[in-house]
C-alpha cells in the first residue's frame, strides 16, 4: 500500500507539472530556462560533453515531435484552417484571435518543455555507465556484509534496511519529477542521486534479515 501511495503521489506531481506547463507558464520562460541550463551544463561538463548531450536530445526531439508529424498534426487540429499552414518546416503562423494566440503559445511551451525533458534524459544516459560502475561494488559490499552477519552475531538492522529502500524509492521519484519540472536543474544532481542510490542499495543489501 505504501508503494502504491508513493506511485500515486509521483503521478500526481507529474500531472500537476504538466497542467502548469500546458496552461500557465509562458513559452518564452521555458526557453530562458533551457538557455540558462545549457550554459550551466556546458560550464559543468565541458563543451564536448554538452555538444554530445545536445545532439542526442535534438535527435530525440525531432524524431518524436517533428519527423513523426505529431506536432504538425496537433497544431493543425487545434488551430484554425487558415492559420495552420506550415512555414519553414516546423514553424507555423499564429492566428490573431486571442484564443488561438493562447493555444499557439501553449503548443510552443509544450514543445520547449519536451525538448528540455529530452536534454535531461540525454544527460542521465551519459551518467548511466558510471551508475553501473558504482552499482556493482556497492551491491558486492552489501552482499558480503550480509553473508558475514549470517555467520556471526552481528545485528542486521531492519530500520536501516527499510530506510535505505525508502531513500532509493524517493530518490528515483525526485529525479523523475525533476525531469519535467520547468525549473533550472543543475546537472550535478544526476551523479549525486546515482551515488546516493548506490550507497543506499549497499546498506539495504547489508541489512537483510538473517535467514538460517
Amino acid at each position: 500500500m505504501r508503494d502504491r501511495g508513493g506511485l500515486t503521489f509521483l503521478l500526481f506531481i507529474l500531472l500537476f507539472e504538466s497542467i502548469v506547463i500546458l496552461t500557465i507558464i509562458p513559452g518564452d520562460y521555458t526557453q530562458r530556462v533551457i538557455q540558462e541550463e545549457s550554459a550551466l551544463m556546458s560550464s559543468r561538463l565541458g563543451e564536448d560533453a554538452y555538444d554530445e548531450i545536445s545532439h542526442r536530445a535534438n535527435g530525440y526531439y525531432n524524431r518524436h515531435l517533428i519527423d513523426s508529424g505529431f506536432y504538425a498534426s496537433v497544431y493543425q487540429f487545434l488551430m484554425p484552417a487558415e492559420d495552420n499552414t506550415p512555414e519553414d518546416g516546423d514553424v507555423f503562423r499564429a492566428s490573431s484571435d486571442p484564443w488561438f494566440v493562447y493555444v499557439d503559445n501553449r503548443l510552443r511551451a509544450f514543445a520547449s518543455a519536451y525538448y528540455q525533458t529530452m536534454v535531461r534524459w540525454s544527460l542521465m544516459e551519459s551518467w548511466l555507465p558510471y551508475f553501473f560502475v558504482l552499482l556493482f561494488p556497492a551491491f558486492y559490499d552489501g552482499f558480503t556484509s550480509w553473508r558475514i552477519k549470517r555467520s556471526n552475531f552481528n545485528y542486521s538492522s531492519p530500520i536501516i534496511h527499510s530506510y535505505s529502500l525508502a531513500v532509493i524509492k524517493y530518490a528515483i521519484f525526485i529525479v523523475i519529477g525533476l525531469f519535467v519540472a520547468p525549473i533550472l536543474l543543475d546537472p550535478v544532481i544526476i551523479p549525486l542521486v546515482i551515488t546516493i542510490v548506490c550507497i543506499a542499495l549497499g546498506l539495504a543489501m547489508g541489512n537483510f534479515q538473517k535467514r538460517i
Side-chain angles (χ1 to χ4, degrees):
M1 292 301 293
R2 289 181 180 178
D3 291 340
R4 183 175 299 178
L7 181 59
T8 301
F9 178 74
L10 174 62
L11 293 176
F12 173 79
I13 292 297
L14 293 176
L15 178 62
F16 175 77
E17 290 176 344
S18 300
I19 291 174
V20 169
I21 292 171
L22 292 175
T23 60
I24 299 176
I25 293 180
D28 59 345
Y29 169 81
T30 306
Q31 285 292 339
R32 290 197 302 271
V33 172
I34 290 174
Q35 293 173 1
E36 294 174 3
E37 192 170 300
S38 298
L40 182 61
M41 195 177 299
S42 179
S43 66
R44 289 275 198 265
L45 306 177
E47 287 287 344
D48 292 340
Y50 169 71
D51 288 343
E52 181 182 349
I53 291 170
S54 178
H55 177 74
R56 192 159 56 237
N58 282 323
Y60 290 146
Y61 174 84
N62 289 325
R63 186 161 62 249
H64 298 162
L65 288 189
I66 307 305
D67 297 341
S68 67
F70 176 81
Y71 187 78
S73 298
V74 173
Y75 199 102
Q76 292 172 354
F77 177 77
L78 295 176
M79 297 296 288
E82 65 273 13
D83 291 323
N84 64 13
T85 303
E87 296 178 350
D88 299 326
D90 61 330
V91 180
F92 297 84
R93 298 176 306 186
S95 172
S96 58
D97 184 283
W99 167 251
F100 291 112
V101 169
Y102 172 77
V103 172
D104 175 75
N105 185 268
R106 294 302 85 217
L107 289 173
R108 294 177 188 275
F110 163 75
S112 297
Y114 188 80
Y115 175 77
Q116 186 180 41
T117 302
M118 291 299 98
V119 170
R120 292 168 177 177
W121 173 257
S122 298
L123 173 65
M124 191 185 73
E125 283 185 331
S126 298
W127 284 107
L128 278 180
Y130 299 97
F131 170 69
F132 290 110
V133 168
L134 292 175
L135 180 65
F136 178 75
F139 181 84
Y140 181 77
D141 179 71
F143 180 74
T144 303
S145 176
W146 177 68
R147 290 292 298 270
I148 292 173
K149 289 177 182 179
R150 288 186 65 188
S151 62
N152 57 30
F153 295 99
N154 286 347
Y155 177 65
S156 292
S157 172
I159 296 178
I160 294 178
H161 176 76
S162 177
Y163 275 94
S164 297
L165 293 179
V167 166
I168 294 173
K169 179 177 70 174
Y170 286 108
I172 294 173
F173 283 2
I174 289 172
V175 168
I176 294 175
L178 287 177
F179 266 21
V180 185
I183 59 175
L184 181 64
L185 180 63
D186 195 313
V188 301
I189 290 178
I190 302 297
L192 177 62
V193 170
I194 287 175
T195 303
I196 291 173
V197 167
C198 289
I199 293 174
L201 178 63
L203 290 173
M205 189 67 199
N207 285 278
F208 268 125
Q209 291 303 291
K210 299 178 184 179
R211 291 182 175 87
I212 304 299

